[in-house]
Amino acid sequence: MTERILIRNAKILTCSAPTPRAVPGVPGGGSGAGANVGTGSDVIADGDLLIEGDRIARVAAGRIEIDSGAARVVDLHGAAVLPGLGDAHVHMSWPLDFVFDHVSVANAPAAPHALDVAAVARTFLESGYTLVVGAGVSQPFDDVRTRDAIERGLIPGPRVIPSGTMITERGAISADTGMTSVVSDARDIREVVARQCDTGVRALKLFVSGDGIVPEYPSDDLYMNDEMLSAAVDEADRYGAFITVHARGSDSVAMAARNGVRVIHHACFLDDKAVHELEARRDDVWVCPGLHYLYAMVSGHAEPWGVTPEKIERSGYEKEFHAQVEGIRQLREAGIRILAGGDFGHQWTKHGTYAAELQRYVELVGMSPQEAINTATRNMGPLVGLDVGQVRAGYLADLLIVDGDPLADITVLQDPDRRRTVLKGGRFAYVNPRMFP
Ligand SMILES: [Zn+2]
């Protein structure tokens, strides 16, 4: 018989209402003032939820009456239930103690490295994250094998949309590190995309701009071209995969948008052309900023690990940070969907602190907590083509249960002591051991 779980007396954040378009010129960007909080269908103050097998069967305000012997009953006494969170810019390859030593991770012996990656997968799940989208690996099969091990039940972890080795152009950033797939033209890139997809990769990562942290390759640098990008998108499409890009400068964002790239990471600088290209593809493009990372860098959080103020000065990150905050506001006004995701795993943006990204959206950009949560829930489902990211009948029962109210205080999502339980596909995937004395 299908297993049934009845979750009672919950505050339910359904994340089912569309994020309203921000209004230009209004402080906080318009929707920040509470238009999307506590109104109608988005939040059920006191409700029940019935899970059957791996899916949500019913969501109701008030009580669901069923024969109590027919389901396992879990009384939450007012705790909050929301969709399991998602992160769209993930490097599972970076171990819990990672300190920017990409080359040593890439060359680490395979067996201990695999255990490091397993620990990261578990950390995502225990942090309330039931979905991750890879943004490039250090060893070619890190994401694919971890996904397989999770699906076989060997290790705990989120749903994984696997990435592969990062792809860059000859002469461009990261081309001489020995850790990337280096391509010269459209034919090359088609070949590399196909080969990665054959191994199970579904989110391919390309560099189309530089990055100020490596001063020889400034963020405004533009790599690859329309022909290469459209070839990559076309080839990925044949496998049901999609292209994501590292794109910091506005020309790289515009090029990615007009060629059908699905996820544009960073998008720090935006001009009118870039915004128009994004608007033209509003229904099938997402922007994943990684704001907390820039915030931490310009706030000196990386200084104990040798990222000196001089290095930050040289990187241009201060300017980039302010441009990004402004850019996210522009994107909200243009109705472009934002994805939470943040390059977590450095010691100054440690694994397990993923929801700090949402806090920055609230504090720096002026999103309402609900809008920020939508970037990690509602906006993720259509990206990956799964029924996830909403608490809704028919959707997969990927759920996070927390003590406290994330709509009153978004930082609740970062507090390990408040995380009670994570369900994935209707199963208790994590139960906080601290809850039981
Ligand atoms: Zn990254």
Side-chain angles (χ1 to χ4, degrees):
M1 200 183 101
T2 309
E3 198 183 339
R4 302 169 98 193
I5 300 170
L6 178 61
I7 293 177
R8 279 216 186 283
N9 301 313
K11 178 181 173 103
I12 304 172
L13 280 60
T14 66
C15 301
S16 291
T19 303
R21 182 95 64 97
V23 181
V26 176
S31 66
N36 199 25
V37 176
T39 52
S41 63
D42 224 15
V43 179
I44 298 171
D46 176 17
D48 285 1
L49 135 74
L50 181 66
I51 298 166
E52 285 181 358
D54 65 350
R55 301 230 168 210
I56 297 164
R58 271 182 77 191
V59 183
R63 305 287 76 83
I64 294 174
E65 297 305 336
I66 61 164
D67 174 3
S68 62
R72 179 174 174 184
V73 179
V74 180
D75 191 330
L76 294 192
H77 301 289
V81 181
L82 65 158
L85 303 173
D87 187 302
H89 188 133
V90 169
H91 300 285
M92 286 202 298
S93 296
W94 299 351
L96 298 179
D97 59 357
F98 179 65
V99 192
F100 226 69
D101 45 359
H102 293 273
V103 174
S104 71
V105 173
N107 295 307
H113 177 66
L115 294 173
D116 274 335
V117 178
V120 171
R122 188 190 68 188
T123 303
F124 268 100
L125 184 73
E126 294 186 354
S127 306
Y129 283 72
T130 51
L131 174 69
V132 302
V133 180
V137 294
S138 304
Q139 298 193 12
F141 307 110
D142 283 346
D143 278 4
V144 167
R145 287 192 183 140
T146 306
R147 191 253 339 247
D148 290 348
I150 293 167
E151 286 187 355
R152 290 171 61 201
L154 301 181
I155 57 170
R159 297 180 196 275
V160 178
I161 310 299
S163 58
T165 304
M166 293 184 238
I167 303 169
T168 194
E169 190 180 11
R170 193 164 305 285
I173 190 168
S174 220
D176 57 0
T177 58
M179 304 186 315
T180 48
S181 288
V182 182
V183 295
S184 299
D185 56 26
R187 185 142 55 123
D188 273 0
I189 204 166
R190 236 180 225 288
E191 170 66 22
V192 169
V193 168
R195 208 181 319 131
Q196 289 196 8
C197 287
D198 282 338
T199 70
V201 167
R202 289 296 175 265
L204 297 103
K205 171 79 175 293
L206 278 51
F207 282 102
V208 295
S209 86
D211 190 321
I213 202 68
V214 192
E216 308 82 71
Y217 300 96
S219 294
D220 280 337
D221 272 9
L222 180 70
Y223 308 130
M224 304 201 187
N225 54 43
D226 290 82
E227 195 193 354
M228 291 169 83
L229 271 194
S230 65
V233 167
D234 180 60
E235 193 65 29
D237 219 34
R238 291 173 1 109
Y239 288 84
F242 56 85
I243 299 294
T244 78
V245 294
H246 168 107
R248 302 188 90 91
S250 50
D251 289 349
S252 65
V253 173
M255 180 174 74
R258 72 174 170 261
N259 284 293
V261 166
R262 195 175 296 175
V263 180
I264 300 177
H265 293 295
H266 311 303
C268 304
F269 297 107
L270 293 173
D271 58 11
D272 288 348
K273 202 171 96 198
V275 173
H276 286 142
E277 297 285 6
L278 286 165
E279 278 181 313
R281 290 198 41 238
R282 194 182 283 127
D283 294 333
D284 69 340
V285 71
W286 286 259
V287 171
C288 182
L291 180 59
H292 177 69
Y293 179 80
L294 272 181
Y295 165 83
M297 290 293 260
V298 302
S299 304
H301 297 179
E303 208 174 331
W305 290 275
V307 185
T308 59
E310 297 71 46
K311 191 165 185 195
I312 294 296
E313 173 76 37
R314 267 204 314 279
S315 71
Y317 269 6
E318 185 74 39
K319 189 173 156 215
E320 210 162 312
F321 169 63
H322 293 291
Q324 190 174 52
V325 169
E326 188 48 45
I328 296 172
R329 294 205 180 110
Q330 275 179 279
L331 294 172
R332 292 169 68 224
E333 288 163 13
I336 308 299
R337 282 171 295 187
I338 310 284
L339 295 172
D343 256 331
F344 283 87
H346 299 287
Q347 293 311 292
W348 53 95
T349 56
K350 276 179 96 69
H351 281 298
T353 64
Y354 314 112
E357 182 73 8
L358 308 185
Q359 182 189 355
R360 299 300 157 226
Y361 293 161
V362 172
E363 291 182 357
L364 300 172
V365 179
M367 288 189 193
S368 69
Q370 180 66 65
E371 184 181 352
I373 290 168
N374 284 355
T375 67
T377 56
R378 179 186 171 81
N379 292 359
M380 294 274 173
L383 168 74
V384 300
L386 293 170
D387 297 328
V388 296
Q390 299 185 41
V391 181
R392 185 172 178 170
Y395 271 54
L396 287 162
D398 290 5
L399 302 167
L400 167 61
I401 299 174
V402 294
D403 276 322
D405 184 357
L407 296 183
D409 176 6
I410 192 76
T411 66
V412 160
L413 297 173
Q414 288 171 61
D415 183 352
D417 289 328
R418 289 176 178 259
R419 256 170 239 142
R420 287 192 183 195
T421 302
V422 178
L423 287 102
K424 197 181 89 178
R427 288 173 180 268
F428 288 86
Y430 169 69
V431 178
N432 190 339
R434 279 173 290 232
M435 287 177 47
F436 299 95

